Amino acid sequence: MAEILIYIESNENNVLDTTYDLITGVKEMAKNSTVSGVIVLHPDFILSDEIKNNLKKYGLDKLYILKSDKPFFQKNEEPFLISDLIKNINPEIFILTSSTTGREIAPIIASILDTGLTADCTKIEIENIDNKLKLISTRPTFGGKLMASIICKKYPQMATVRAGTFKKEEINNKQIEILEFNFPHILNLKSEIIEYKKDKKDEFVNLQNAKMVFAGGLGLKNKENFEKLKLLCKKTGAIMGATRKAVDKGFVDKKYQIGQTGSTTTPEIYVAFGISGAIHHIMGMENSKKIIAINSDKNAPIFKYSDIGLVADASEIIDELLKSLN
Ligand SMILES: Cc1cc2nc3c(=O)[nH]c(=O)nc-3n(C[C@H](O)[C@H](O)[C@H](O)COP(=O)(O)OP(=O)(O)OC[C@H]3O[C@@H](n4cnc5c(N)ncnc54)[C@H](O)[C@@H]3O)c2cc1C
């Protein structure tokens, strides 16, 4: 049976919801194929029965676990390990989410395997022609003015898919086959980890699973206003996001960036504070359910994408909201 491989992305001790979304989407399209996943386990990750059950429940037929008892650099070793697995199992299609990790490792894997990759797809279709699977990957091009549907003539056919393209759903999947491999550190890397300590201050910014996001742009003007936005997020349970310009100015860390070269987020509510609405940013948040924009320029492009628009000073609105919460 033809096999489709999915990259199982995890953080701390969880598989990301965006991965479950992708599994369901792919299984719905390719009911007669084996939908497999590959997870590279970090030494401190516990793959619980609950996670295995969720993977099965949302449509995974088979799971390849690549395991090590030595710490390793994710971006250095994962692409090589996954490429080795792919060379052995020969899936016809390999799909990842277009998260920061997916975007980093997918091109390396495509290059190792000498195949093609369509990045940042907003739609994928899988056709079965004479028992061969054909992946049709669609993504915006020319700054979002055109949609291009792309096929790859080499194997595996690879794509990264944006968050929000699919939604996880329980599928009547009876069983999941689990295959576990311990990988030796055979790679001739120029670096080696001697000790592995988690940085307690470096909290993970879970934009991908956020229910509410408050994002700031250059219109917030300075670091202090971003601190206020952070406080507002803390008080309301929102996750903070930012534009690349705000990151480049040093107002916030890069891990908060939303957009083409940052995270993708699909919350119930997305509020843009002082964000112009450049296509590179829109690509990371356009699938949010309700978009609210606050901008001092009534002609700002962000208003075209918004359900509610407010022409106002963004930092004054943050002050007012904080006051009302005190
Ligand atoms: C290859 C490439 C990849 C990129 N990737 C990303 C990405 O991943 N994410 C991303 O965000 N960008 C990305 N960019 C950059 C993107 O094109 C824009 O430059 C950026 O998103 C603009 O950020 P901004 O809205 O904060 O700033 P600006 O475009 O400068 O907009 C600031 C806005 O603030 C408003 N404003 C000013 N003062 C106030 C006030 N007091 N109150 C309220 N509003 C106010 C202004 O009217 C304006 O609309 C990328 C660019 C390239 C070329």
Side-chain angles (χ1 to χ4, degrees):
M1 201 189 280
E3 185 165 4
I4 302 167
L5 186 67
I6 291 174
Y7 175 69
I8 308 294
E9 188 171 352
S10 57
N11 69 51
E12 313 247 295
N13 265 330
N14 276 315
V15 165
L16 299 188
D17 265 355
T18 43
T19 295
Y20 292 129
D21 292 343
L22 185 59
I23 292 171
T24 301
V26 170
K27 188 65 193 171
E28 290 285 1
M29 277 187 289
K31 289 204 171 71
N32 297 324
S33 305
T34 303
V35 178
S36 312
V38 55
I39 185 163
V40 183
L41 284 195
H42 293 250
D44 58 350
F45 187 95
I46 300 156
L47 189 62
S48 63
D49 286 344
E50 191 191 346
I51 294 178
K52 289 178 193 163
N53 198 41
N54 282 341
L55 289 166
K56 179 184 77 162
K57 187 167 83 181
Y58 294 122
L60 205 71
D61 302 310
K62 197 192 263 190
L63 177 66
Y64 298 99
I65 303 173
L66 307 182
K67 205 173 168 189
S68 172
D69 48 13
K70 268 184 96 182
F72 60 94
F73 288 117
Q74 183 181 34
K75 309 288 160 49
N76 278 9
E77 296 199 46
E78 278 203 20
F80 291 94
L81 299 169
I82 294 170
S83 302
D84 270 356
L85 176 77
I86 290 175
K87 282 180 198 161
N88 280 296
I89 63 170
N90 288 318
E92 292 187 26
I93 295 172
F94 178 43
I95 310 178
L96 307 89
T97 49
S98 29
S99 59
T100 311
T101 303
R103 283 170 181 160
E104 272 191 63
I105 66 171
I108 307 174
I109 296 170
S111 153
I112 295 170
L113 299 172
D114 189 25
T115 187
L117 162 71
T118 309
D120 267 340
C121 301
T122 49
K123 182 178 160 193
I124 55 168
E125 292 155 285
I126 296 172
E127 286 177 5
N128 192 331
I129 302 166
D130 298 333
N131 275 334
K132 276 259 163 229
L133 297 182
K134 184 169 151 193
L135 176 70
I136 304 155
S137 310
T138 303
R139 54 152 299 149
T141 186
F142 290 108
K145 291 193 178 70
L146 282 179
M147 299 302 284
S149 291
I150 298 163
I151 53 162
C152 173
K153 291 186 174 168
K154 289 186 167 183
Y155 289 90
Q157 304 157 82
M158 279 182 62
T160 58
V161 178
R162 272 199 228 163
T165 305
F166 301 110
K167 261 276 150 279
K168 69 178 182 194
E169 252 175 59
E170 282 192 35
I171 285 183
N172 193 13
N173 208 15
K174 296 274 184 298
Q175 58 182 28
I176 180 167
E177 185 185 353
I178 297 189
L179 299 163
E180 198 169 308
F181 305 96
N182 276 310
F183 64 81
H185 287 260
I186 43 163
L187 301 171
N188 192 12
L189 295 175
K190 293 199 172 102
S191 48
E192 188 190 345
I193 297 182
I194 296 163
E195 201 184 355
Y196 182 72
K197 267 195 204 156
K198 203 163 174 298
D199 182 354
K200 289 204 176 71
K201 283 187 288 175
D202 185 23
E203 15 97 64
F204 176 72
V205 180
N206 201 349
L207 282 162
Q208 283 157 3
N209 287 350
K211 297 276 171 266
M212 185 158 69
V213 171
F214 293 170
L218 213 60
L220 280 189
K221 309 245 187 312
N222 54 45
K223 236 178 174 164
E224 290 66 44
N225 282 333
F226 268 90
E227 284 305 317
K228 286 185 192 167
L229 183 63
K230 202 172 198 176
L231 182 63
L232 185 63
C233 289
K234 204 170 161 201
K235 283 180 183 277
T236 54
I239 302 286
M240 189 169 80
T243 63
R244 182 157 125 180
K245 273 197 184 174
V247 171
D248 290 348
K249 278 272 180 192
F251 298 162
V252 273
D253 193 87
K254 161 97 177 128
K255 65 187 174 190
Y256 293 100
Q257 187 181 315
I258 293 168
Q260 186 185 336
T261 42
S263 296
T264 302
T265 190
T266 56
E268 301 290 319
I269 300 173
Y270 179 94
V271 188
F273 291 89
I275 292 177
S276 61
I279 188 68
H280 303 103
H281 184 78
I282 297 296
M283 282 169 77
M285 43 62 80
E286 65 190 332
N287 287 328
S288 305
K289 284 236 169 64
K290 273 257 176 290
I291 299 174
I292 303 169
I294 301 143
N295 198 301
S296 54
D297 174 5
K298 68 174 176 22
N299 297 316
I302 188 80
F303 289 132
K304 282 193 293 194
Y305 304 93
S306 308
D307 301 288
I308 300 171
L310 191 58
V311 180
D313 184 298
S315 59
E316 279 178 15
I317 298 292
I318 294 176
D319 286 341
E320 287 303 318
L321 288 170
L322 282 172
K323 251 193 253 162
S324 71
L325 289 167
N326 273 337

